[in-house]
Amino acid sequence: MHSAILTFVTQLAIGLGLFILGLFTMRRGLSIITSNQTKKIIASLVKTPARGLLTGIGATLITQSSAAVTILSMGLVATDALKFTDTIGIILGTNIGSTFTAGLLRLNLERYCPFIVGVGAMA
């Protein structure tokens, strides 16, 4: 019993440490690659709360991961490429986007498959 608790605590500490190390590494990488032009594009995407919401929905639909979009937006806040208040719309949008993703899985898209494949082949 005692060794199971010790194993759990050790694994939890290692996992948390790796997560924090990953956040610092992402922040450093984002600060290196974020230019003034990128900051302007991001600012235009989240100019209003509604646009931030739509940006969050779109990013979640593209990446299929609301957690990744949320963590990326927090990384952009840490590099001063995005204001914290702008991330509220993005985070709300990621929640809506993940709901859309679940809704798409629920639809029966078999009759549209040939059309979707044809559009994909042309692209």
Side-chain angles (χ1 to χ4, degrees):
M1 175 79 175
H2 180 68
S3 67
I5 294 173
L6 183 62
T7 302
F8 172 75
V9 170
T10 304
Q11 290 175 346
L12 182 69
I14 290 171
L16 188 60
L18 287 174
F19 178 72
I20 292 172
L21 177 69
L23 286 176
F24 281 120
T25 304
M26 181 188 69
R27 184 175 138 209
R28 189 176 338 122
L30 283 174
S31 66
I32 291 170
I33 65 169
T34 306
S35 64
N36 286 332
Q37 183 67 21
T38 307
K39 289 179 183 180
K40 288 178 185 177
I41 292 170
I42 292 170
S44 69
L45 287 173
V46 295
K47 186 182 286 186
T48 64
R51 286 173 81 172
L53 184 80
L54 292 174
T55 300
I57 292 171
T60 303
L61 289 175
I62 291 170
T63 62
Q64 297 293 308
S65 175
S66 60
V69 175
T70 302
I71 290 172
L72 185 61
S73 64
M74 289 296 120
L76 289 171
V77 168
T79 60
D80 293 329
L82 192 61
K83 291 185 284 188
F84 179 73
T85 55
D86 294 335
T87 62
I88 295 169
I90 293 173
I91 292 170
L92 290 173
T94 60
N95 294 329
I96 294 170
S98 62
T99 304
F100 280 153
T101 302
L104 283 176
L105 294 174
R106 187 95 170 112
L107 294 175
N108 185 6
L109 299 176
E110 289 177 3
R111 60 183 187 179
Y112 300 112
C113 285
F115 176 72
I116 293 170
V117 170
V119 169
M122 288 188 299

